[in-house]
């Protein structure tokens, strides 16, 4: 039926009737190759999915009791977010901790270590500095587990939240300005019902 299959050949030399002859055995391994092809196709599908996500999927392994991490995998979104290609951060040439804002490094490390001790997933927000020297806010979620060699593996996802953090900071500044203003400020709904008054307005009303 012209079906293509795979066979594994094992041969050896033996003595037979005073002569050295070679015998061989054939084993059908088509199913194994089919499984390998399926695994390869599924991996390619997963990589395409990860590469299209607006963020970075990562996998790293721990060294020195979770004090130092070595990246094994970064999805292609790494370049858009960090300015580095995955191969630049995988290995020892550039450590990921070096692009984390210096004021956030201890917080990031401690949060991850606590999650590992408690065997829980973690979420955190921190700042990074891209290759173009741009400061960005990121959100990270991950979880650690042990592999067969009793090494700690960390897997997770990182996405940018700079716009959201900027809006939050702007709103906080406006709120503080309104609270400390020496002018009376009140906010009403469309029906004229008062929803907010600042402290100065309350002081004036009390006098």
């Amino acid at each position: 039926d012209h079906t293509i299959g795979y066979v594994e050949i094992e041969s050896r030399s033996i003595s037979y009737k005073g002569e050295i002859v070679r015998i061989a055995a054939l084993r059908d391994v088509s199913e194994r190759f089919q499984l390998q092809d399926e695994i390869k196709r599924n991996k390619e599908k997963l990589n395409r999915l990860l590469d299209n996500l607006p963020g970075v999927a990562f996998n790293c392994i721990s060294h020195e009791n979770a004090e130092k991490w070595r990246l094994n995998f970064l999805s292609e979104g790494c370049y858009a977010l960090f300015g580095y290609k995955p191969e630049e951060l995988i290995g020892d040439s550039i450590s990921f901790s070096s692009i984390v804002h210096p004021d956030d490094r201890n917080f990031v490390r401690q949060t991850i270590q606590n999650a590992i001790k408690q065997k829980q997933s973690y979420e955190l927000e921190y700042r990074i500095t891209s290759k173009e020297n741009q400061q960005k806010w990121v959100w990270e979620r991950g979880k650690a587990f042990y592999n067969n060699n009793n090494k700690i593996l960390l897997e997770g996802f990182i996405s940018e939240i700079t716009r959201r953090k900027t809006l939050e900071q702007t709103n906080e500044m406006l709120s503080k300005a309104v609270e400390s203003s020496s002018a009376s400020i009140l906010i009403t709904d469309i029906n004229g019902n008062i929803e907010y008054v600042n402290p100065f307005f309350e002081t004036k009303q009390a006098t």
Side-chain angles (χ1 to χ4, degrees):
D1 61 358
H2 303 289
T3 300
I4 297 176
Y6 297 89
V7 295
E8 187 175 75
I9 302 175
E10 182 179 347
S11 65
R12 63 175 176 168
S13 298
I14 64 171
S15 176
Y16 179 73
K17 293 184 179 182
E19 296 183 2
I20 301 298
V21 298
R22 196 162 189 82
I23 61 172
L26 276 69
R27 182 165 54 248
D28 187 352
V29 292
S30 299
E31 184 177 353
R32 188 178 75 191
F33 274 82
Q34 289 170 358
L35 288 173
Q36 290 175 346
D37 287 341
E38 185 176 350
I39 291 172
K40 182 181 178 181
R41 288 195 299 270
N42 289 338
K43 185 176 180 180
E44 290 172 349
K45 288 180 183 178
L46 177 61
N47 285 338
R48 286 197 297 270
L49 174 64
L50 292 174
D51 290 343
N52 288 322
L53 290 174
V56 183
F58 68 89
N59 172 287
C60 55
I61 188 168
S62 169
H63 294 276
E64 301 176 9
N65 298 319
E67 287 290 336
K68 186 178 179 182
W69 297 89
R70 180 188 177 92
L71 283 162
N72 294 324
F73 170 80
L74 284 167
S75 62
E76 290 298 324
C78 171
Y79 183 75
L81 182 54
F82 305 133
Y84 294 95
K85 295 180 180 179
E87 55 267 26
E88 292 183 90
L89 293 173
I90 293 174
D92 298 320
S93 56
I94 301 173
S95 68
F96 183 78
S97 62
S98 68
I99 70 173
V100 176
H101 193 285
D103 293 342
D104 295 342
R105 288 173 190 167
N106 287 335
F107 162 68
V108 172
R109 181 172 61 252
Q110 194 61 50
T111 299
I112 294 174
Q113 288 179 342
N114 290 341
I116 292 172
K117 291 177 183 178
Q118 297 170 14
K119 298 181 179 180
Q120 296 178 345
S121 59
Y122 67 88
E123 289 186 25
L124 69 165
E125 298 175 359
Y126 57 93
R127 293 161 291 177
I128 61 100
T129 302
S130 72
K131 190 175 184 178
E132 298 80 16
N133 205 32
Q134 291 181 317
Q135 184 174 291
K136 300 180 180 180
W137 276 95
V138 297
W139 168 86
E140 178 180 331
R141 179 180 174 85
K143 189 171 184 179
F145 59 93
Y146 289 87
N147 65 6
N148 295 332
N149 297 322
N150 207 35
K151 291 282 188 179
I152 304 175
L153 294 179
L154 192 67
E155 292 184 342
F157 189 79
I158 303 172
S159 61
E160 184 176 1
I161 57 168
T162 304
R163 185 171 181 273
R164 194 200 82 196
K165 295 295 289 188
T166 301
L167 288 173
E168 288 178 353
Q169 291 169 353
T170 300
N171 288 339
E172 184 178 356
M173 290 175 62
L174 289 173
S175 177
K176 288 180 178 178
V178 169
E179 290 287 314
S180 60
S181 175
S182 58
S184 295
I185 299 174
L186 74 158
I187 300 173
T188 67
D189 61 20
I190 59 175
N191 297 315
N193 299 312
I194 296 176
E195 294 185 337
Y196 169 83
V197 296
N198 71 336
F200 186 81
F201 181 91
E202 292 179 335
T203 302
K204 295 295 290 185
Q205 290 298 107
T207 58

